[in-house]
Amino acid sequence: KGEEGSTFQLPDNFYPDKYKSLSTTLANRFGSDSPSIPVSDIALPNLQLPMELPYNEQFSLFVPKHRKMAGKLIDVFMGMRNVQELISICSYCQLRINPYMFNYCLSVAILHRPDTKGLDLPTFVETFPDKFMDPKVFRRAREISNVVTSGARMPITIPINYTASEAEPEQRVAYFREDMGINLHHWHWHLVYPFEAADRAIVNKDRRGELFYYMHQQIIARYNAERMCNNLSRVKRFNNFREPIEEGYFPKLDSQVASRAWPPRFTGSTIRDLDRPVDQIRSDVSELETWRDRFIQAIEDNAVILPNGRSMQLDEATGIDTLGNLMESSVISRNRPYYGDLHNMGHVFISYCHDPDHRNLEQFGVMGDSATAMRDPIFYRWHSYIDDIFNLHKSKLPRYGDDRLDFPGIRVSSVSIEGAGGANAFATQWEQSTVELSRGMDFTPRGSVLARFTHLQHEEFNYVIDVTNNTGRAAMGTFRIFIAPTLDENGSPLPFEDQRRLMIELDKFSQPLNAGNNTVRRRSLDSSVTIPYERTFRSQSDRPGDPGSAEAAQFDFCGCGWPHHMLIPKGTPAGYPMVLFAMVTNWDEDRIEQDLVGTCNDAASYCGIRDRLYPDRRAMGFPFDRPADPSVTSLNDFLRPNMAVRDCTIRFTDATRIHGQRS
Ligand code: CUO
């Protein structure tokens, strides 16, 4: 059994509960209508490597051995000749392969196989809710599903602040770190951009390394704004690997698969040399430092050393992409043996600092899993450091001159917002939403079990941008909208160089401009960085159309995207000052010619577009991706006629409403 070349036949109706959602989705769509799944005889591929991970262990994309196992399993799923075979191999795998790894690899395969495109991936929070919420919920779910009939069940409420008390200052931004939508976005991003697969096309996506840099840079910019709204200073980068980590983190998550609590990290922990035979990890902290030094050397030399000893120049257009792939690293790194695996192994070192030699038989902490890493304050310190290194490269690039910044004949006379918050004021508050738990429990409750949780929300608004087109004919503009804090932690105006790194992309879109005056209105809901609320937290009852219908498939098409409810930072009750920035560039110079019919592209800024080129020719983060001319000391110095700014505030109201019951 399990040997290469042998065949197997499984009974129908074989799925254990843990896999139900993903596997039945596949079978419902392509198999029969009945819950039983036809299993065909197939030649069994070699699954020895993926089967080495015990069934009840945690699985981490960042652990090299796990990554290799997953790469192999992805290859197996990708290699099945048709969906029938894929279903068959799934049914063979699911009692034998670790559920987390199975779910990850099957998700990657479904996203990348031509014959499963458009298939509904059940939201990960429903499949593995234990990665996203307080385990007390599951105990309660068990209780109520035994005693209360499904129609009479009230949602189980998850408190918003349950991982630390107010004595921990970092807790002020726990609503951001522990937000389900943010963690789901991060999980999905890494699903769309896997590190390893034999089919290089899965890994080698257009500007993948650059997007790794940019998407995580934006997370840091957003987190810093969030911190500043909460009277915390900008995040301190984790650049000295020998220094104790000040921030502790106690995740209060249980793994249902491993039947274990996720390990905490105590205040003052230090990363230590790793020697964990069980994970085939043996690496010293000094190795991390060596990779770091080589990486920085490459930036200083503006060239990467290739395995054959030659060097490859880093150019202005693609240097950041090369560095991103080298840093992450993925199998498309130009020289993994030399530059190593800096970013991923940073996650690994941090996530094992409580048990570096496995003497206590402990698993990794939340930093070891892309679905949970963003809960931990150290995630932001690590990625802030990574971002600083990328910024060294960006700082060496030529400054943008008039030729790159101007749009001759186009003048943006004003930008503003209109909405329920009042003129140029964003309004935020708490909101409660529900998520379905019944699919992801380790028992099968009869009927629905809902968890109610609290998250940040903003009032929707419109951007209003007045543009004069003096070119004498119609033009097409690319609108680029950002927002940033205006004052530093001490209340002094932020210098341009600091402020540009805090710029949060809110939207980017193209729009025709008639000759003469134009007033462009754009809805916040249409943002190019977010996915709609319903896609982040969809539950069966929210879903339009019949499961498996074309309508449902389109709706579920892709889960990557910043959650819309987190578009705007929290602000403060008094109104936190921010500056809104709008720029119009020449679409003829920015555009990428490609067919976007049927693609999921509503969060393209942070996620790209599936199977397509990144839809903007400019550097990601343009025009703030690099320092400006030294004469520019403030944002006002930077402005051109085709740009405009507006001072705004974000006013937070400490009240909670139920989603769908808008005030
Ligand atoms: Cu997304 Cu470090 O890459 O977590």
Side-chain angles (χ1 to χ4, degrees):
K1 135 182 125 173
E3 260 128 61
E4 199 152 14
S6 65
T7 60
F8 77 101
Q9 175 76 53
L10 280 173
D12 282 356
N13 205 357
F14 187 63
Y15 287 83
D17 289 342
K18 198 73 228 170
Y19 300 104
K20 237 173 200 155
S21 26
L22 203 53
S23 298
T24 28
T25 298
L26 198 60
N28 281 344
R29 182 74 185 279
F30 294 100
S32 61
D33 295 336
S34 75
S36 64
I37 291 138
V39 176
S40 51
D41 287 327
I42 52 167
L44 262 192
N46 186 346
L47 289 166
Q48 206 180 347
L49 185 64
M51 288 203 311
E52 280 174 26
L53 182 65
Y55 190 88
N56 290 322
E57 295 268 306
Q58 291 282 49
F59 161 72
S60 169
L61 279 178
F62 299 116
V63 172
K65 182 188 171 194
H66 295 193
R67 231 187 287 155
K68 280 199 196 78
M69 293 169 166
K72 173 74 189 168
L73 190 58
I74 292 169
D75 296 343
V76 168
F77 289 156
M78 291 301 293
M80 293 294 121
R81 282 168 303 182
N82 52 49
V83 175
Q84 226 30 263
E85 277 195 17
L86 180 62
I87 293 171
S88 299
I89 193 69
C90 286
S91 55
Y92 177 79
C93 284
Q94 59 193 0
L95 281 186
R96 296 168 170 84
I97 300 270
N98 177 283
Y100 292 126
M101 185 164 67
F102 176 90
N103 184 289
Y104 169 75
C105 297
L106 183 55
S107 299
V108 171
I110 289 175
L111 280 175
H112 292 91
R113 286 179 65 100
D115 54 3
T116 51
K117 291 231 164 109
L119 183 68
D120 161 21
L121 279 184
T123 177
F124 192 57
V125 69
E126 291 183 3
T127 321
F128 291 110
D130 53 330
K131 292 202 182 197
F132 299 91
M133 55 191 96
D134 185 349
K136 282 187 192 147
V137 162
F138 308 118
R139 219 168 303 140
R140 183 85 190 106
R142 198 181 299 263
E143 285 162 20
I144 67 165
S145 68
N146 284 337
V147 293
V148 187
T149 55
S150 66
R153 284 176 201 156
M154 292 288 289
I156 305 161
T157 301
I158 306 173
I160 184 161
N161 278 331
Y162 66 91
T163 49
S165 71
E166 282 175 15
E168 170 56 70
E170 295 295 322
Q171 189 62 13
R172 290 181 219 158
V173 283
Y175 66 88
F176 181 95
R177 286 187 279 106
E178 292 165 1
D179 183 83
M180 260 187 252
I182 283 181
N183 281 284
L184 281 165
H185 160 68
H186 190 240
W187 152 260
H188 266 278
W189 195 93
H190 285 283
L191 203 60
V192 180
Y193 296 95
F195 305 116
E196 202 140 327
D199 178 358
R200 284 172 71 88
I202 294 180
V203 181
N204 196 9
K205 299 202 165 91
D206 182 50
R207 294 169 75 180
R208 176 222 165 97
E210 184 179 8
L211 194 54
F212 170 74
Y213 141 77
Y214 182 58
M215 196 285 286
H216 289 87
Q217 185 274 331
Q218 283 288 292
I219 288 177
I220 298 303
R222 287 178 169 276
Y223 185 62
N224 276 329
E226 220 61 68
R227 292 178 68 84
M228 291 164 87
C229 292
N230 286 282
N231 217 358
L232 294 166
S233 59
R234 275 166 278 179
V235 66
K236 204 170 136 249
R237 62 195 182 148
F238 179 57
N239 61 335
N240 180 351
F241 305 158
R242 307 288 172 167
E243 206 174 74
I245 300 167
E246 227 175 278
E247 297 82 0
Y249 186 66
F250 293 74
K252 298 178 182 57
L253 293 177
D254 281 353
S255 163
Q256 291 195 51
V257 170
S259 301
R260 280 279 167 76
W262 283 75
R265 186 185 58 260
F266 289 88
T267 304
S269 302
T270 309
I271 64 170
R272 288 176 287 166
D273 296 346
L274 295 178
D275 185 5
R276 297 180 51 106
V278 62
D279 303 307
Q280 287 176 15
I281 296 181
R282 193 171 182 165
S283 179
D284 290 353
V285 177
S286 59
E287 192 170 29
L288 213 53
E289 289 164 336
T290 302
W291 293 335
R292 185 254 325 263
D293 295 344
R294 288 175 180 169
F295 196 91
I296 291 174
Q297 190 65 48
I299 291 172
E300 272 170 20
D301 299 344
N302 222 4
V304 166
I305 295 172
L306 299 176
N308 64 10
R310 294 234 183 86
S311 74
M312 190 188 91
Q313 289 297 306
L314 296 171
D315 65 33
E316 185 182 350
T318 63
I320 187 69
D321 192 48
T322 303
L323 288 172
N325 290 324
L326 212 63
M327 165 66 87
E328 205 180 350
S329 67
S330 66
V331 286
I332 57 168
S333 163
R334 293 289 183 158
N335 192 351
R336 220 186 207 176
Y338 186 72
Y339 293 102
D341 200 8
L342 182 55
H343 154 265
N344 290 337
M345 285 303 287
H347 277 265
V348 171
F349 271 97
I350 293 167
S351 70
Y352 282 132
C353 71
H354 57 283
D355 195 17
D357 56 8
H358 199 230
R359 75 176 64 188
N360 294 308
L361 308 176
E362 281 291 315
Q363 299 278 320
F364 51 80
V366 291
M367 266 293 269
D369 187 327
S370 62
T372 53
M374 289 185 70
R375 308 176 81 83
D376 189 332
I378 191 67
F379 173 92
Y380 305 88
R381 294 196 55 200
W382 178 234
H383 269 279
S384 193
Y385 182 50
I386 304 277
D387 190 53
D388 271 11
I389 300 179
F390 284 130
N391 191 52
L392 291 176
H393 165 71
K394 287 287 187 178
S395 301
K396 294 190 72 182
L397 300 179
R399 308 306 185 231
Y400 290 125
D402 297 345
D403 57 323
R404 314 279 282 279
L405 294 173
D406 286 353
F407 188 176
I410 302 293
R411 198 183 122 78
V412 178
S413 48
S414 77
V415 57
S416 57
I417 63 152
E418 56 181 23
N424 297 310
F426 299 92
T428 60
Q429 67 170 120
W430 301 121
E431 189 172 86
Q432 286 191 330
S433 296
T434 49
V435 64
E436 176 62 56
L437 287 183
S438 59
R439 298 214 274 183
M441 308 295 293
D442 54 3
F443 63 99
T444 309
R446 249 180 277 135
S448 161
V449 179
L450 295 172
R452 172 169 288 163
F453 61 98
T454 305
H455 56 86
L456 190 63
Q457 185 59 285
H458 59 270
E459 297 288 352
E460 301 305 341
F461 55 88
N462 292 324
Y463 306 99
V464 184
I465 306 160
D466 288 313
V467 186
T468 311
N469 173 358
N470 291 324
T471 61
R473 54 198 160 81
M476 187 70 142
T478 307
F479 287 69
R480 299 166 190 274
I481 300 179
F482 291 84
I483 197 170
T486 58
L487 304 175
D488 69 10
E489 292 83 347
N490 301 316
S492 309
L494 281 162
F496 179 82
E497 180 53 20
D498 285 18
Q499 196 175 34
R500 74 164 182 93
R501 296 190 64 191
L502 293 167
M503 281 287 176
I504 296 169
E505 182 176 339
L506 291 181
D507 204 354
K508 179 161 63 182
F509 57 95
S510 57
Q511 180 85 24
L513 296 167
N514 300 324
N517 293 332
N518 298 261
T519 297
V520 173
R521 276 200 163 67
R522 168 86 169 178
R523 299 189 314 159
S524 53
L525 278 167
D526 295 329
S527 166
S528 67
V529 305
T530 61
I531 54 173
Y533 173 91
E534 290 75 14
R535 196 171 317 148
T536 297
F537 296 122
R538 68 189 167 194
S539 63
Q540 293 288 16
S541 51
D542 291 338
R543 189 166 299 170
D546 299 326
S549 69
E551 195 188 2
Q554 187 56 34
F555 180 74
D556 291 327
F557 207 49
C558 96
C560 186
W562 193 252
H564 189 72
H565 67 269
M566 296 304 281
L567 177 68
I568 302 293
K570 183 179 167 199
T572 58
Y576 189 77
M578 300 282 276
V579 61
L580 183 69
F581 169 92
M583 173 183 199
V584 180
T585 55
N586 189 347
W587 184 76
D588 287 334
E589 293 166 11
D590 308 332
R591 73 164 147 192
I592 299 286
E593 299 283 359
Q594 59 186 345
D595 173 16
L596 295 180
V597 174
T599 56
C600 155
N601 62 1
D602 54 0
S605 288
Y606 291 174
C607 295
I609 305 178
R610 206 157 93 177
D611 310 322
R612 300 289 192 280
L613 302 177
Y614 192 78
D616 182 6
R617 215 176 274 279
R618 310 253 180 178
M620 297 181 195
F622 173 86
F624 298 114
D625 64 301
R626 57 185 76 174
D629 196 79
S631 65
V632 172
T633 58
S634 70
L635 185 58
N636 277 332
D637 296 341
F638 184 72
L639 298 183
R640 312 285 164 132
N642 55 324
M643 306 175 191
V645 290
R646 172 75 65 182
D647 285 321
C648 310
T649 54
I650 307 176
R651 196 176 299 276
F652 170 70
T653 306
D654 194 1
T656 309
R657 67 180 176 208
I658 306 277
H659 179 72
Q661 301 174 358
R662 294 285 163 120
S663 47

